[in-house]
Amino acid sequence: MDHPSSSATPMQWLIQCRLKRREALKGSLLGAAALALGGVSQARAGCDDEQKVDLSLDPTTLAFKPVPAAIADDHQVSGGYVAEAVIRWGDAVLADAPAFDPSQHSAEAQAKQFGYNNDFLAFMPLPAGSDNADHGLLCVNHEYVNPVLMAPEARRKDPELAQERAAIEMAAHGHTVVEIKRNAKGQWEPVAGGRYNRRITAHTPMTLSGPAAGHARLRTHADPSGAHVLGTLNNCAGGVTPWGTILTAEENFHKYFDGHTSDPLEAPAHKAYGLGRGAAFPWAQFEPRFDLAQSPREPNRFGWVVEIDPYDPQSTPVKHTALGRFKHEAATTALTRDGRVVVYSGDDETFQFLYRFVSARAMNPNDRQANLGLLDEGVLSVARFSEEGTLQWLPLIHGQGPLTAENGFHDQGEVLIETRRAAALLGATPMDRPEDVEPNPVNGKVYVMLTNNKSRQPSEVDPANPRCNNQYGHVLELTPPGPDAPEHDAETFRWDVFLLAGPLDGEAEARYHPLTAHHGSWMAAPDNCCFDKRGRLWITTDQGGSQAKRNHPDGVYGMDVDGPGRGLPKRLYAAPRDAELCGPCFTPDNATLFVAVQHPSEHKKVAYENPTTRWPDFDPALPPRPAVVAIRRVDGGPIGG
């Protein structure tokens, strides 16, 4: 077979590589997945066609040199770019916040300061509704805390301070809204005491709305109405609505509840969500709502998507039960052709599912207030992937199929409270940790980050999850129908494997653009993503403890989704030691890319006194501090070129 010319498209490369591998792949599900790869190819193993082209020619539109794969105490960014911390754990948010002092920290101080382990980010321009790229609100989730890195050993082990430590941890969770501005040098700075600045914590009053609001299984001794709840927990990824509010997703809420319940209804439901295996935090000692024996229904009030209005600091956040209860990662939005709102979300656990919500009513572009109730009524569906490359959205509607009283679902509220069980009964496809799910505003396709699944056995492999012991994760590309505009409400989509992540050693069966080894960077554990104005995909990664074993830092990777450079990732930024990266988002002019650096120095053998890095301050008197970083070009141009 002749080798392809240097002008061959990635798809042409793939077709010819496939012909050479067809017999080896024939009959295997991994082979079926490879044939579904839409325009990317195995980067090295099994195909040597790239040797016949000019390897000096970079096919991508991304005009930067990738950061080398080496872990360092400090973060690293490509040449011609700068990366600067904008706000760090403990920095002032409210006007009367005290200076950060970890040796004398208090819950009262933390409730006024920037929280811990920043995750999802959104830049909301000021004034509201504008495209201002120099002034806006930075909206930030705070997923969880690392107590061992938050206080000196003496304070950490003092039994008299146990309740205060728990209160600090609760105040460090939730969400921050902080006003930021770009100064004359192009640097981003928080606005001290900005009038929009707000901290939302584990104690912030919220309301429940939608079909499950007021349900008997949401009622507690503290809230007999089942319509009000204190706080939001383990907020991971999220999204922005077309009317300018934030959707923050509650993920691993099970970590905060301790004990067991004998309630015959709640006990099996607790098990399905990982409750009853012991809490990661001792909050149940001080607040009965976190004790499963005393308050078995309290966990049902978490695991939702929460809507926050960043432009109204007096507004009450709303937990939207119509979007289902599970370990939400992401709540990203799109509009149908008739103006209804679609919300995509993943359930971030191995063998869990991908979801889509479609609102019953259309958005009113002239009535923002009316849009605040759009997420209370609509249809939640779960995804089933076929071997033929189609995806079917299965509605989770009480009374349809197995979702009946005979199976324990007496109303729509119970379908939503036990979304996982309902989805499994419908025959949804168990996925490899579906995390961020983002529609591309340029090509209309939807991209799903599947972080990893080391528990998948050979007998459990399927084309949408094509590797057993999937250590490295992969990305799916979903294509809604529609010749002119994507029909995000369609019952059936097409799907492809966009890339299979992993090192370029052949053993991982990684698949990217065939020139990745020469111009790009391999990645592992895709987690969050976003798109720039050109529709290019930007992915952040979360390898956990594996990054140290591979000496391969988590990073921010940009790549084309179309054209000759499709599927060729380049690492723009590398996280500091033992940190992961989350929440990438752009300013409207694409001149700044914000990323969240989470848990620097998170390692089994570290403590406050001996961290693996003291990023970002590198002050021997200060611990490592999660922070939001602004990445920008030195010349002020758009990120990526």
Side-chain angles (χ1 to χ4, degrees):
M1 181 182 70
D2 292 336
H3 292 288
S5 71
S6 60
S7 62
T9 67
M11 180 59 77
Q12 291 168 333
W13 280 92
L14 178 60
I15 290 171
Q16 296 198 30
C17 287
R18 284 174 183 161
L19 291 173
K20 296 171 69 176
R21 295 197 306 268
R22 185 177 297 275
E23 289 305 315
L25 294 173
K26 190 175 182 180
S28 72
L29 284 171
L30 182 57
L35 294 175
L37 281 166
V40 295
S41 177
Q42 185 164 339
R44 291 178 66 177
C47 182
D48 62 355
D49 290 334
E50 61 186 63
Q51 297 174 7
K52 299 297 182 179
V53 301
D54 185 349
L55 300 181
S56 67
L57 296 177
D58 183 346
T60 74
T61 64
L62 294 161
F64 64 86
K65 186 177 180 180
V67 173
I71 293 175
D73 291 350
D74 202 356
H75 60 197
Q76 305 163 74
V77 71
S78 182
Y81 288 77
V82 292
E84 300 160 324
V86 178
I87 188 166
R88 306 154 296 177
W89 167 51
D91 284 349
V93 173
L94 303 188
D96 57 345
F100 177 63
D101 183 355
S103 67
Q104 301 292 329
H105 211 193
S106 69
E108 182 182 9
Q110 179 63 83
K112 300 174 181 179
Q113 298 166 333
F114 193 67
Y116 206 81
N117 274 344
N118 30 225
D119 199 293
F120 166 76
L121 306 176
F123 177 81
M124 308 297 287
L126 286 173
S130 72
D131 288 329
N132 190 354
D134 297 316
H135 183 198
L137 303 177
L138 187 64
C139 303
V140 187
N141 280 356
H142 300 293
E143 185 179 1
Y144 69 102
V145 296
N146 295 91
V148 72
L149 293 171
M150 294 178 72
E153 185 176 17
R155 283 181 60 83
R156 208 167 58 247
K157 294 187 175 180
D158 187 341
E160 298 296 322
L161 296 175
Q163 186 167 358
E164 177 69 11
R165 287 196 300 270
I168 292 171
E169 292 168 5
M170 293 183 209
H173 280 69
H175 193 84
T176 291
V177 178
V178 60
E179 189 176 349
I180 60 172
K181 276 187 175 181
R182 190 152 39 183
N183 64 24
K185 297 180 179 180
Q187 299 168 317
W188 287 95
E189 299 174 333
V191 175
R195 69 185 184 93
Y196 297 100
N197 290 7
R198 184 180 188 183
R199 276 304 324 282
I200 291 168
T201 73
H203 287 111
T204 301
M206 303 187 175
T207 60
L208 290 151
S209 69
H215 197 280
R217 294 182 63 182
L218 295 182
R219 300 172 192 163
T220 65
H221 292 300
D223 174 33
S225 72
H228 304 280
V229 63
L230 286 180
T232 183
L233 299 171
N234 213 261
N235 301 79
C236 206
V240 177
T241 68
W243 51 92
T245 59
I246 298 298
L247 299 179
T248 173
E250 297 181 320
E251 193 190 22
N252 292 310
F253 59 89
H254 67 286
K255 294 181 177 182
Y256 306 93
F257 294 89
D258 211 350
H260 299 274
T261 181
S262 57
D263 186 308
L265 186 61
E266 300 303 342
H270 286 183
K271 184 177 180 181
Y273 287 94
L275 294 149
R277 298 184 299 198
F281 307 98
W283 299 358
Q285 298 176 29
F286 311 108
E287 291 199 18
R289 65 182 174 128
F290 296 111
D291 185 338
L292 296 176
Q294 297 187 62
S295 189
R297 294 175 181 171
E298 185 69 19
N300 295 343
R301 296 144 67 82
F302 294 88
W304 305 103
V305 169
V306 187
E307 185 173 14
I308 299 168
D309 187 349
Y311 295 110
D312 181 2
Q314 303 305 316
S315 61
T316 300
V318 178
K319 297 194 178 189
H320 289 291
T321 65
L323 275 63
R325 175 176 169 264
F326 45 91
K327 295 178 182 178
H328 282 272
E329 175 97 19
T332 57
T333 62
L335 290 176
T336 65
R337 291 192 293 179
D338 60 0
R340 287 172 296 139
V341 183
V342 176
V343 181
Y344 291 100
S345 196
D347 187 347
D348 183 10
E349 194 162 352
T350 56
F351 300 111
Q352 288 303 322
F353 311 119
L354 174 68
Y355 295 89
R356 179 192 71 179
F357 170 85
V358 181
S359 70
R361 294 186 294 112
M363 186 186 80
N364 185 339
N366 301 314
D367 189 346
R368 185 174 187 267
Q369 191 63 35
N371 296 329
L372 297 178
L374 278 182
L375 302 183
D376 290 337
E377 185 181 358
V379 176
L380 180 69
S381 301
V382 65
R384 181 164 63 200
F385 293 81
S386 78
E387 294 186 9
E388 292 74 32
T390 59
L391 178 161
Q392 184 179 6
W393 292 105
L394 310 172
L396 292 128
I397 299 175
H398 177 254
Q400 294 188 8
L403 308 184
T404 62
E406 289 76 13
N407 286 318
F409 299 105
H410 296 88
D411 51 41
Q412 184 64 17
E414 283 198 299
V415 170
L416 297 168
I417 291 168
E418 294 196 57
T419 303
R420 279 185 168 180
R421 187 165 70 89
L425 285 173
L426 287 176
T429 302
M431 307 298 288
D432 288 351
R433 286 187 60 198
E435 297 215 29
D436 213 349
V437 188
E438 296 263 359
N440 187 325
V442 175
N443 68 12
K445 299 182 181 183
V446 180
Y447 294 78
V448 184
M449 306 296 112
L450 295 146
T451 299
N452 53 39
N453 184 358
K454 299 177 185 179
S455 299
R456 189 177 289 275
Q457 300 300 308
S459 62
E460 297 171 312
V461 166
D462 62 68
N465 302 277
R467 291 185 289 190
C468 63
N469 185 26
N470 183 8
Q471 301 180 53
Y472 304 108
H474 58 290
V475 178
L476 295 183
E477 182 180 64
L478 315 182
T479 304
D484 302 318
E487 298 175 13
H488 286 284
D489 57 336
E491 179 182 337
T492 304
F493 286 16
R494 298 290 302 175
W495 68 269
D496 296 291
V497 178
F498 178 71
L499 64 79
L500 296 176
L504 302 175
D505 57 10
E507 294 182 10
E509 289 288 342
R511 285 179 169 82
Y512 309 95
H513 188 286
L515 296 184
T516 298
H518 302 282
H519 297 291
S521 321
W522 68 268
M523 69 169 70
D527 187 339
N528 295 154
C529 67
C530 70
F531 298 92
D532 61 23
K533 293 174 70 173
R534 297 174 63 171
R536 296 178 297 195
L537 176 62
W538 297 82
I539 295 175
T540 58
T541 62
D542 174 16
Q543 301 171 85
S546 299
Q547 60 176 294
K549 298 176 185 177
R550 304 169 184 144
N551 191 30
H552 192 268
D554 280 322
V556 179
Y557 299 79
M559 70 200 74
D560 296 323
V561 298
D562 295 299
R566 173 180 162 88
L568 196 164
K570 287 186 173 184
R571 187 188 305 105
L572 174 67
Y573 174 87
R577 191 177 305 276
D578 296 317
E580 70 167 283
L581 292 176
C582 316
C585 78
F586 285 94
T587 49
D589 61 359
N590 275 199
T592 299
L593 173 60
F594 294 105
V595 293
V597 176
Q598 192 180 99
H599 61 69
S601 188
E602 183 177 81
H603 192 279
K604 292 180 179 179
K605 298 182 179 180
V606 301
Y608 181 92
E609 287 75 14
N610 64 333
T612 60
T613 177
R614 291 192 182 274
W615 186 91
D617 301 297
F618 295 101
D619 183 335
L622 292 175
R625 300 164 74 182
V628 176
V629 167
I631 302 169
R632 54 189 178 86
R633 276 172 48 174
V634 173
D635 64 7
I639 300 293

